[in-house]
Amino acid sequence: MFWSGFINLNNRLTRWRVSGMAPGQVLLLLPRCLHKDTCRQNVMLSLDECQRCGKCSLAALSQLRDDFGVVACVVGGGRQALAHTRRKEIKAVVAVACEKELVHGILAAFPKPVLAITNTTPEGPCRNTLADPQKVAEAIRELLSPAS
Ligand code: SF4
């Protein structure tokens, strides 16, 4: 499919051209649809609101934010995502979203590098989606690691 091919190519180029970032320069960008729809915590306000009950992916992703010390935020749409991406201190992004949003985000953020990770949609699009924390951890590690 065109979108997944574009994302794979983008990720290969990003891995090739970006390394050695400081944690504070890396933004972990998470879509609101990862948030369990029955959860009362306002993670849009701050990821610190997540009580890490484990009912959605945000528990593990909050832990990754703490473990790596990167910047992280939950966003409700492309405009909000782009505003965070354009912050001066941010030099590279790990973004989780559906393929279509990732492609739009990569193009809008250019030339800022984005490592893109597709979420899974067991309950259909935009609702209680899931992100693989291992893939997210690997992407963060790649941006932080010194050039080999
Ligand atoms: S892990 Fe639990 S507390 Fe955190 S956002 Fe998900 S459902 Fe809410």
Side-chain angles (χ1 to χ4, degrees):
M1 188 174 188
F2 169 75
W3 281 336
S4 57
F6 178 88
I7 290 167
N8 287 339
L9 179 63
N10 167 77
N11 285 354
R12 256 184 283 160
L13 287 172
T14 301
R15 287 188 182 104
W16 174 69
R17 75 183 175 109
V18 186
S19 57
M21 293 281 139
Q25 295 176 317
V26 174
L27 171 66
L28 175 58
L29 202 51
L30 304 169
R32 180 167 50 188
C33 59
L34 290 174
H35 188 209
K36 186 82 176 168
D37 58 5
T38 52
C39 174
R40 289 170 179 265
Q41 299 306 116
N42 188 355
V43 294
M44 290 283 287
L45 188 66
S46 165
L47 208 48
D48 291 332
E49 293 286 317
C50 172
Q51 294 186 341
R52 306 190 188 186
C53 72
K55 287 184 183 157
C56 75
S57 298
L58 292 181
L61 297 171
S62 300
Q63 190 60 48
L64 288 182
R65 176 201 63 171
D66 293 351
D67 291 347
F68 286 104
V70 296
V71 181
C73 62
V74 179
V75 294
R79 193 176 297 182
Q80 230 181 346
L82 197 56
H84 283 287
T85 300
R86 285 189 173 147
R87 284 157 58 179
K88 224 165 81 185
E89 73 275 20
I90 299 302
K91 305 293 182 207
V93 180
V94 174
V96 176
C98 64
E99 285 184 346
K100 185 179 163 193
E101 290 296 328
L102 287 172
V103 169
H104 287 162
I106 290 164
L107 294 172
F110 188 81
K112 210 164 260 192
V114 178
L115 267 184
I117 298 168
T118 311
N119 57 2
T120 54
T121 55
E123 296 184 39
C126 307
R127 183 166 180 261
N128 297 332
T129 65
L130 302 172
D132 182 344
Q134 281 188 359
K135 284 188 186 167
V136 175
E138 195 184 311
I140 296 172
R141 212 172 282 121
E142 282 168 334
L143 294 180
L144 299 183
S145 301
S148 49

